[in-house]
Amino acid sequence: MTEFQNASGISQLQSVFFYRDVVPDLLVRWKYDGMVELTNLIASWVANHCQISASYDLATIVPCHWRRRLTRGFDHMWLLANALAKTGLIELPTKTLTHSKPLPFLHLQAASDRHIDPDHFRTVCSVKGKRILIIDDVITSGATLRAAAAALNCNGAVEVSALTVATAREVLLPASRTRV
């Protein structure tokens, strides 16, 4: 189990793979090189290697900022969440979060320097009283997930759990109660 410093907002976190070996190259090709055909492969691997409890009311994603989505031509996390729903791992995702400002290029910063303001995300639908499963590609410092969870919690979510494809941490994050 890995604990993150200044933990807040996430009740459970599961990462399926380590961000090393072939995983970074796979995710870079998918996310930045536009190889959307990798989406179903990644979804299949995630579905076969994780355990999601059915104790959530709504599945959602950490969305791309609209400018990045426009530049890339797709939102990789939206594609992944829908592919995960087709595998039966999760329910169909709901667009729940949007950016209040452009997301900084965190991948260009050291993990210790990454920060996202707590008010970075805002909700676009009601989450009051709901248990939320939020899906993201990679967790390095936890800054993005913390900011997303803060928006959900501030708008009434009773619990926020997270699933990431990979973790850059040295220890795989288990499905057990881990704080981000």
Side-chain angles (χ1 to χ4, degrees):
M1 178 167 37
T2 299
E3 298 267 340
F4 289 99
Q5 293 181 355
N6 302 322
S8 66
I10 303 286
S11 62
Q12 296 180 42
L13 171 62
Q14 181 178 5
S15 292
V16 180
F17 300 107
F18 289 112
Y19 192 71
R20 61 178 185 217
D21 302 324
V22 300
V23 174
D25 186 50
L26 175 76
L27 295 180
V28 164
R29 289 175 187 270
W30 173 56
K31 184 175 175 177
Y32 298 109
D33 295 344
M35 294 182 69
V36 295
E37 62 271 18
L38 293 173
T39 304
N40 290 331
L41 174 67
I42 294 167
S44 173
W45 287 350
V46 169
N48 288 323
H49 291 91
C50 75
Q51 301 170 354
I52 298 296
S53 87
S55 65
Y56 65 90
D57 303 308
L58 185 144
T60 193
I61 62 165
V62 172
C64 282
H65 187 272
W66 69 267
R67 286 186 185 127
R68 288 196 191 149
R69 191 173 55 250
L70 183 64
T71 302
R72 291 180 187 160
F74 62 97
D75 183 330
H76 66 295
M77 292 314 307
W78 185 248
L79 294 176
L80 179 62
N82 279 281
L84 289 172
K86 287 180 184 173
T87 70
L89 181 68
I90 65 168
E91 297 294 322
L92 280 172
T94 301
K95 290 187 180 181
T96 307
L97 296 168
T98 189
H99 297 266
S100 59
K101 52 191 163 189
L103 189 63
F105 286 101
L106 295 181
H107 68 283
L108 301 175
Q109 299 175 8
S112 60
D113 295 335
R114 296 176 184 206
H115 173 76
I116 299 175
D117 293 328
D119 64 346
H120 177 85
F121 290 101
R122 61 182 172 85
T123 59
V124 294
C125 70
S126 176
V127 297
K128 187 173 183 173
K130 294 186 179 177
R131 296 165 299 167
I132 311 290
L133 173 66
I134 190 165
I135 303 165
D136 201 6
D137 52 0
V138 179
I139 184 169
T140 304
S141 67
T144 304
L145 281 175
R146 273 194 300 275
L152 295 167
N153 288 322
C154 285
N155 285 282
V158 294
E159 183 175 76
V160 178
S161 299
L163 169 65
T164 66
V165 175
T167 179
R169 297 291 181 160
E170 291 300 314
V171 177
L172 253 179
L173 303 173
S176 63
R177 298 194 76 73
T178 304
R179 303 291 290 178
V180 176

